[in-house]
């Protein structure tokens, strides 16, 4: 096509034309080229849109006035501008070539439409049964204007797409005289199951089905061709073409008594859908129509963008993948280097505990899988073993309670029937690991001499720091070798530290067994409040102490209250902050700068790299003026309340047995002495990751200096093997660009499955928890009741939280916890009673409910809600 061609035949789309006809037209042209039945038509190119936008002076119109009225100004400019004569002439000629007064459909085809990551379904307008050249021109003009509907502007903003980068082509196609029409999904759009096709069908034009105006027939077909569901809708309304142009809605009767499709037509639809899916290598959302002669036509095909990508199969038959990212409180994607680090880290327990032969730790264990930038574990062998079925759900009951419910619901799946009943091989490996890492002596020391056990953990941490030192003149290859050694030491932290807090949790179980009803769930939560020796709460309170001191310094307080955190971070790096803030922040970062939001991802900047989050939290703290709500005062009251709960429990038990009361008191003292160490192993782990990150950053600088990477931070979008090959001269810049684009897309994904089957099914969609009337249900995490305004926070960086607000989040890790200090309550979509957020909430004494499905979308910022932490309910008062 020529540079200024304003129209192109869908049957003649060359490479140049594809760039100017938008997603929908390009897909239709591709389907035609593959021999699929698609109605004749043409595309009005983006060159035509550019010409009319120029005539309308669109750029100036968009720049003028209130940004909230951007869409309104864009529509007005395009609707009032005249269509340039060359454009109008080309459109009219192409239309007349289809035949005299041929009825056509006029539909948008935006350059950011029908993409693998964003379908833009329904965001621009469609006009059906358009007849006559003037009517076609008018419909084309209205399609152009629909690029600026409020819903399209909002959708682009949510998808992170630049408004000015989007242009609109228009597809004009002959209408199909549809006797029946509808939508075909080549995967179940609700459960995600890839082996199923789902069809919605109704008589008349497909607009009735697409717009939701009719209750259509619903057909579900399994991969082997079996129709597993054929539900007849009432089909009380049909959209039909009107003589002379336009459409009408016709009310009909008796639709529930007749089917729209025969079994043969269903089979034909499924077959053609599978061919289209195979061509695009992705599940498709296809609009179709069947005319009076029984011919099946495809009018549109676009990817189903809501489905989560699948891990690469790691074995035969149905596989079960647990999202490790979510279990660790991480909803955002992990950088490629972060995933690569996980492979090395998990190779050690895979070999030590599960006896898996690991040929290359960089490649990781076979059970480690990735999809959509998230880490998954193939837990199929555990689901097929009696031991695994006993242990996996119980472990998740503590970490991520909703995942445990989902796994138990899969126990009846025939494809996951138990194949291994003997427990002894696994038990022998576990005992061997416990003995090798001297876990029993550490457990005994913890129970007999808690202070000595804590000192041993401190010495363990000191040894880790010494082992991770690297020579300043090390080569880049030596630094990568060192990174791999550091990562291989992550797993031994667990048996070297966890037995200490594990002994404390075991003593809580013993105390509950001995006390019976005298130590219920609520009393247990009280006992766990304000635990000493918790590295995370100590860090948070230290930051609060810094805020208290800075409040008394006029220059520091003025800077925090009046300067954006990003600018303050820049001044900190330049040494230009007020002295009290410069020195106080520096001291805090020397102790805690290895922490970060999403800190288990080695690719995420540490607070020492970018302290803007810490500075934002300090500014938030300065808004808290009530002395009785000061976090240190709240923490001190929590410690007193915990001591009182211990005393009250012992007193109740003493009424029954003095000896039992002594045992309960000893057990609860050990809980207070040891359970706070729960965060220590995570702190050590993150220190190692920060050290590994520092070495990788140096490697990135060397690669950027040699021209093999564009930016030093690009090294985190390679894996360890690729970083090594880059040092040997391989140019990975194109790989980095593609991965950054994928990473940015995945950052916008709001839903990540807890558990995913290899056929695409998300089992949670089949077993959603029933909400109590008027409330959202979750897992009790921290007792207490609070009613306040909600604050939905998806990313803590830059978050503004007023004192006393209820924090509603997808999940949390230690990087989030500074926000907890001034929160009135906590609601989390993920987690269990002993997940990180639950533990810290209890220690701060704020009511918390975790595992509340879709909380961040079902609760809105500013909504008044009541959190009942003991009942596990979140209510919206009338």
């Amino acid at each position: 096509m020529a540079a200024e061609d304003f129209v192109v035949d869908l049957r003649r789309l060359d490479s140049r034309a594809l760039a100017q006809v938008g997603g929908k037209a390009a897909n239709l042209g591709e389907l035609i080229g593959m021999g699929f039945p698609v109605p004749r038509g043409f595309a009005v190119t983006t060159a035509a849109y550019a010409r009319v936008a120029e005539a309308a002076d669109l750029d100036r119109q968009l720049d003028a006035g209130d940004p909230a009225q951007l869409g309104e100004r864009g529509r007005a400019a395009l609707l009032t501008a005249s269509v340039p004569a060359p454009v109008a002439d080309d459109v009219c000629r192409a239309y007349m070539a289809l035949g005299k007064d041929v009825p056509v459909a006029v539909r948008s085809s935006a350059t950011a439409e029908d993409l693998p990551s964003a379908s833009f379904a329904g965001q621009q307008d469609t006009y059906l049964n358009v007849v006559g050249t003037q009517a076609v021109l008018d419909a084309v003009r209205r399609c152009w204007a629909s690029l600026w509907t409020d819903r399209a502007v909002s959708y682009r903003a949510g998808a992170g797409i630049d408004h000015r980068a989007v242009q609109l082509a228009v597809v004009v196609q002959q209408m199909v005289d549809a006797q029946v029409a509808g939508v075909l999904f080549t995967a179940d759009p609700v459960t995600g199951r890839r082996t199923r096709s789902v069809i919605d069908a109704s008589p008349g034009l497909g607009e009735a089905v697409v717009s939701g105006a009719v209750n259509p027939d619903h057909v579900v077909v399994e991969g082997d061709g079996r129709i597993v569901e054929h539900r007849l809708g009432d089909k009380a309304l049909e959209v039909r073409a009107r003589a002379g142009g336009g459409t009408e809605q016709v009310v009909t009767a008796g639709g529930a008594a007749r089917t729209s499709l025969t079994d043969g037509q269903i089979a034909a639809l499924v077959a053609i859908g599978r061919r289209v899916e195979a061509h695009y290598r992705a599940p498709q959302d296809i609009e179709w129509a069947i005319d009076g002669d029984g011919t099946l036509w495809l009018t549109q095909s676009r990817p189903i963008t809501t489905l989560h990508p699948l891990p690469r199969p790691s074995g035969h038959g149905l596989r079960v993948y647990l999202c490790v990212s979510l279990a660790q409180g991480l909803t955002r994607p992990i950088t490629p280097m972060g995933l690569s680090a996980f492979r090395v880290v998990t190779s050690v327990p895979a070999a030590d505990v599960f006896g898996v032969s690991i040929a290359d730790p960089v490649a990781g264990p076979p059970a480690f899988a990735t999809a959509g930038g998230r880490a998954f574990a193939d837990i199929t062998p555990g689901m097929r073993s009696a031991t695994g079925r006993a242990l996996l759900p119980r472990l998740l009951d503590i970490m991520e309670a909703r995942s445990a419910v989902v796994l138990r619901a899969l126990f009846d799946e025939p494809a996951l029937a138990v194949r291994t009943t003997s427990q002894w091989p696994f038990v022998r490996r576990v005992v061997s690991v416990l003995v090798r890492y001297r876990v029993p002596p550490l457990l005994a020391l913890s129970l007999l001499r808690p202070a000595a056990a804590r000192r041993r953990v401190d010495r363990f941490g000191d040894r880790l720091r010494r082992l991770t030192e690297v020579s300043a003149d090390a080569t880049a290859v030596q630094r990568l070798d060192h990174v791999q050694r550091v990562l291989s030491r992550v797993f031994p932290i667990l048996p070297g530290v966890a037995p200490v807090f594990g002994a404390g949790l075991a003593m809580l179980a013993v105390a509950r067994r001995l006390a019976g009803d005298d130590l219920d769930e609520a009393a247990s939560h009280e006992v766990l409040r304000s635990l000493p020796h918790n590295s995370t709460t100590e860090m948070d309170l230290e930051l609060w102490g810094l805020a208290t001191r800075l409040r008394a310094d006029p220059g520091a307080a003025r800077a925090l209250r009046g300067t954006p955190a990003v600018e303050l971070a820049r001044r900190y790096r330049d040494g230009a902050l007020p002295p009290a803030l410069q020195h106080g922040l520096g001291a805090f970062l020397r102790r805690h700068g290895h922490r970060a939001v999403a800190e288990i991802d080695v690719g995420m900047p540490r607070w020492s790299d970018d302290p803007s989050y810490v500075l934002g939290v300090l500014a938030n703290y300065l808004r808290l003026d009530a002395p009785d709500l000061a976090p240190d005062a709240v923490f001190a009251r929590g410690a007193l309340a915990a001591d009182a709960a211990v005393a009250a429990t012992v007193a109740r038990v003493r009424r029954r047995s003095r000896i039992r009361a002594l045992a309960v008191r000893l057990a609860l003292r050990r809980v207070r002495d040891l359970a706070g160490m729960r965060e220590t192993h995570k702190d050590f782990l993150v220190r190692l990751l920060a050290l590994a990150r520092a070495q990788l950053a140096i490697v990135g600088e060397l690669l950027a200096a040699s021209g093999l990477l564009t930016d030093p931070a690009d090294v985190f979008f390679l894996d360890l093997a690729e970083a090594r090959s880059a040092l040997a001269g391989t140019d990975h810049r194109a790989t980095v660009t593609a991965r950054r684009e994928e990473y940015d897309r995945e950052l916008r994904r709001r839903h990540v499955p807890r558990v995913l089957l290899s056929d695409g099914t998300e089992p949670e969609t089949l077993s959603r928890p029933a909400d109590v009337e008027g409330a959202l249900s979750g897992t009790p995490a921290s007792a207490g009741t609070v009613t306040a305004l909600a604050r939905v926070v998806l990313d803590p960086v830059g978050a503004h939280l007023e004192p006393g607000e209820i924090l509603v989040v997808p999940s949390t890790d230690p990087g989030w916890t500074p926000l907890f200090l001034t929160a009135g309550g906590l609601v989390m979509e993920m987690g269990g009673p002993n997940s990180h957020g639950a533990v810290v909430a209890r220690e701060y004494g704020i009511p918390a409910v975790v595992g509340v499905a879709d909380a961040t979308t079902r609760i809105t910022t500013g909504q008044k809600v009541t959190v009942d932490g003991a009942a596990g309910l979140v209510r919206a008062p009338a």
Side-chain angles (χ1 to χ4, degrees):
M1 61 177 285
E4 280 294 301
D5 277 353
F6 300 120
V7 167
V8 59
D9 192 314
L10 291 177
R11 295 170 298 179
R12 297 180 176 85
L13 294 181
D14 57 22
S15 58
R16 183 181 179 85
L18 287 174
Q20 296 191 44
V21 296
K24 184 183 281 96
N27 287 351
L28 289 171
E30 196 168 349
L31 290 173
I32 291 171
M34 294 298 297
F36 290 105
V38 175
R40 286 182 61 203
F42 59 91
V44 183
T45 67
T46 56
Y49 174 84
R51 179 67 72 89
V52 76
E54 181 182 6
D57 200 9
L58 183 62
D59 284 347
R60 186 180 64 81
Q61 297 289 340
L62 296 178
D63 287 335
D66 185 351
Q69 296 176 339
L70 179 71
E72 183 179 341
R73 294 196 303 276
R75 293 193 301 275
L78 292 169
L79 287 173
T80 56
S82 60
V83 179
V87 175
D89 290 346
D90 278 5
V91 172
C92 291
R93 273 195 300 271
Y95 172 67
M96 288 186 289
L98 295 176
K100 182 176 175 56
D101 289 337
V102 171
V104 293
V106 181
R107 297 184 293 164
S108 67
S109 181
T111 52
E113 189 172 68
D114 294 350
L115 302 176
S117 60
S119 72
F120 277 77
Q123 299 308 310
Q124 280 87 47
D125 290 342
T126 292
Y127 301 95
L128 301 177
N129 199 39
V130 180
V131 178
T133 55
Q134 289 306 310
V136 169
L137 280 173
D138 183 60
V140 169
R141 183 206 304 270
R142 284 183 285 160
C143 272
W144 286 331
S146 73
L147 185 63
W148 298 97
T149 61
D150 292 339
R151 66 179 183 271
V153 169
S154 175
Y155 191 98
R156 287 197 295 274
I161 295 173
D162 183 1
H163 295 301
R164 297 180 186 279
V166 179
Q167 292 187 313
L168 193 76
V170 178
V171 174
V172 180
Q173 282 180 286
Q174 282 186 268
M175 285 286 294
V176 175
D177 183 18
Q179 302 304 297
V180 60
V183 179
L184 162 67
F185 294 95
T186 64
D188 191 318
V190 177
T191 68
R193 189 165 180 171
R194 305 302 204 266
T195 60
R196 285 189 166 177
S197 298
V198 177
I199 302 169
D200 285 339
S202 187
L205 301 180
E207 175 65 15
V209 177
V210 174
S211 66
V214 69
N215 180 20
D217 291 350
H218 183 74
V219 185
V220 180
V221 183
E222 193 47 88
D224 59 6
R226 288 179 298 115
I227 299 175
V228 294
E229 182 181 356
H230 193 160
R231 186 177 69 243
L232 300 185
D234 58 32
K235 303 181 288 293
L237 181 146
E238 291 182 21
V239 175
R240 295 176 181 167
R242 219 169 29 195
T247 60
E248 60 183 351
Q249 294 186 349
V250 179
V251 177
T252 60
R258 60 181 184 274
T259 181
S260 301
L261 295 170
T262 67
D263 287 357
Q265 289 172 324
I266 291 171
L269 265 171
V270 171
I272 201 169
R274 289 299 173 200
R275 287 173 54 208
V276 175
E277 179 185 66
H279 173 69
Y280 285 113
R281 299 182 180 179
Q284 296 290 299
D285 167 1
I286 299 170
E287 295 179 22
W288 54 270
I290 297 175
D291 66 19
D293 295 330
T295 302
L296 169 61
W297 297 92
L298 304 184
T299 59
Q300 183 166 292
S301 183
R302 55 179 170 244
I304 306 175
T305 59
T306 56
L307 300 179
H308 196 279
L310 297 181
R312 183 176 299 173
S314 51
H316 299 294
L318 187 68
R319 314 300 294 182
V320 183
Y321 297 98
L322 175 71
C323 187
V324 179
S325 296
L326 283 186
Q328 287 295 314
L330 198 61
T331 55
R332 64 182 295 142
I334 299 173
T335 60
M337 187 60 77
L339 293 170
S340 187
F342 272 159
R343 289 188 173 92
V344 177
V345 169
T346 54
S347 290
V348 177
D352 286 0
V353 180
F354 299 102
V356 178
S357 177
I358 305 295
D360 179 10
V362 173
F368 183 88
T370 65
R374 277 86 184 178
F376 287 83
D378 184 351
I379 59 170
T380 311
M383 293 291 289
R384 290 175 176 162
S385 107
T387 305
R389 288 192 171 199
L391 293 179
L392 273 170
R394 286 185 172 87
L395 179 63
L396 290 169
D397 280 335
I398 297 171
M399 295 172 54
E400 221 295 299
R402 183 63 194 150
S403 294
V405 173
V406 174
L407 289 190
R408 290 188 176 102
L410 290 173
F411 285 171
D412 294 331
E413 172 62 47
L416 300 174
V418 172
R419 299 180 184 180
T420 306
T421 57
S422 175
Q423 301 180 8
W424 290 113
F426 178 75
V427 170
R428 281 196 298 271
R429 285 194 294 271
V430 170
V431 169
S432 173
V433 170
L434 295 178
V435 170
R436 185 188 322 159
Y437 288 103
R438 299 179 59 78
V439 171
L442 182 54
L443 280 170
L445 180 65
S446 301
L447 294 174
L448 296 173
R449 298 168 57 203
R454 292 194 299 270
R455 288 194 297 272
R456 177 172 168 175
V457 169
D458 290 340
R459 291 194 297 273
F460 184 91
D462 291 338
R463 288 198 302 273
L464 280 178
R465 294 183 186 93
R466 289 194 299 272
L467 287 169
T468 53
E469 294 175 357
V470 62
S471 171
D473 59 356
T475 67
V477 171
Q478 289 171 332
R479 292 182 189 279
L480 281 183
D481 292 340
H482 182 72
V483 166
Q484 191 168 332
R485 286 194 299 272
V486 167
L487 294 174
S488 69
R489 295 185 180 277
V490 168
F491 173 73
I493 293 174
L494 196 61
V497 177
V500 179
F501 80 81
L505 295 181
M507 285 296 97
L508 180 61
V510 169
R512 293 195 66 171
R513 176 68 65 91
L514 291 172
D517 293 340
D518 291 325
L519 182 60
D520 59 14
E521 190 74 26
S524 297
H525 286 182
E526 284 293 293
V527 169
L528 293 171
R529 286 184 63 180
S530 301
L531 287 169
H533 318 300
N534 184 310
S535 60
T536 299
T537 54
E538 288 172 353
M539 174 189 73
D540 295 342
L541 290 171
E542 184 179 333
L543 190 59
W544 168 257
L546 174 59
T548 303
R549 295 191 299 276
L550 295 175
R551 186 194 301 271
D553 184 285
R558 187 166 51 251
L560 285 169
R561 289 190 173 111
T563 309
V566 173
E567 172 61 20
L568 290 174
R570 185 192 64 77
R571 294 181 189 177
Y572 171 74
R573 289 189 289 269
D574 292 341
L577 290 176
L581 181 53
Q582 183 77 31
H583 298 145
L585 178 61
F588 178 83
L589 293 177
R590 282 191 291 275
R591 286 185 291 274
H592 306 292
H594 60 289
R595 306 310 294 252
V597 175
E599 60 192 4
I600 61 171
D601 181 358
V602 74
M604 290 298 291
R606 308 290 112 174
W607 288 343
S608 56
D609 300 324
D610 179 6
S612 56
Y613 170 63
V614 177
L615 288 159
V617 171
L618 286 170
N620 274 337
Y621 286 173
L622 294 188
R623 284 195 284 270
L624 181 61
D625 295 321
D628 60 326
L629 295 179
D632 51 355
V634 172
F635 193 83
R637 289 198 300 271
L640 293 175
D643 291 341
V646 170
T649 300
V650 171
R652 287 192 295 269
V653 175
R654 187 180 292 117
R655 299 190 192 106
R656 296 187 285 117
S657 168
R658 293 181 64 86
I659 294 177
R660 189 175 290 242
L662 289 172
V664 169
R665 183 172 63 180
L666 176 62
L668 292 181
R669 281 181 176 173
R670 289 296 179 262
V671 172
R672 299 289 301 167
D673 285 336
L674 300 170
M677 299 290 288
R678 178 193 181 278
E679 297 291 308
T680 304
H681 73 285
K682 181 72 175 291
D683 184 68
F684 288 174
L685 178 154
V686 173
R687 285 183 185 275
L688 290 184
L689 293 181
L691 290 165
R693 175 183 168 81
Q695 296 306 311
L696 289 166
I698 295 172
V699 172
E701 290 171 358
L702 294 171
L703 289 172
S706 63
L708 291 168
L709 290 179
T710 304
D711 183 274
D714 287 348
V715 72
F716 298 108
F717 288 84
L718 302 176
D719 60 29
L720 285 166
E722 290 165 342
R724 198 173 292 275
S725 70
L727 290 174
T730 303
D731 189 337
H732 289 294
R733 284 177 292 184
T735 298
V736 168
T737 298
R739 287 181 180 165
R740 280 190 177 276
E741 291 174 355
E742 180 186 6
Y743 183 82
D744 289 342
R745 287 196 302 269
E746 288 297 328
L747 278 172
R748 296 190 292 271
R749 187 183 295 278
R750 291 293 302 275
H751 172 71
V752 180
R754 288 175 165 89
V755 178
L756 191 60
L757 303 187
S758 55
D759 66 2
T761 302
E762 292 186 33
E764 189 177 10
T765 62
L766 307 175
S767 57
R768 286 278 185 183
D771 289 328
V772 176
E773 184 176 357
L776 306 182
S777 298
T779 300
S782 179
T785 301
V786 63
T787 299
L789 299 181
R791 175 73 64 173
V792 178
V793 177
L794 303 179
D795 185 342
V797 178
H800 174 95
L801 184 71
E802 290 294 335
E805 287 184 327
I806 292 170
L807 188 60
V808 182
V809 299
S811 62
T812 65
D813 63 9
W816 284 74
T817 57
L819 292 176
F820 286 26
L821 287 186
T822 57
L826 174 69
V827 178
M828 282 173 43
E829 291 181 334
M830 308 298 169
N834 280 305
S835 61
H836 172 80
V839 170
V840 176
R842 284 196 294 271
E843 297 205 11
Y844 291 155
I846 62 174
V849 180
V850 300
V852 181
D854 304 321
T856 60
T857 55
R858 300 166 77 183
I859 299 172
T860 58
T861 293
Q863 180 182 4
K864 181 177 282 190
V865 297
T866 296
V867 176
D868 186 338
L873 298 176
V874 182
R875 294 185 172 89

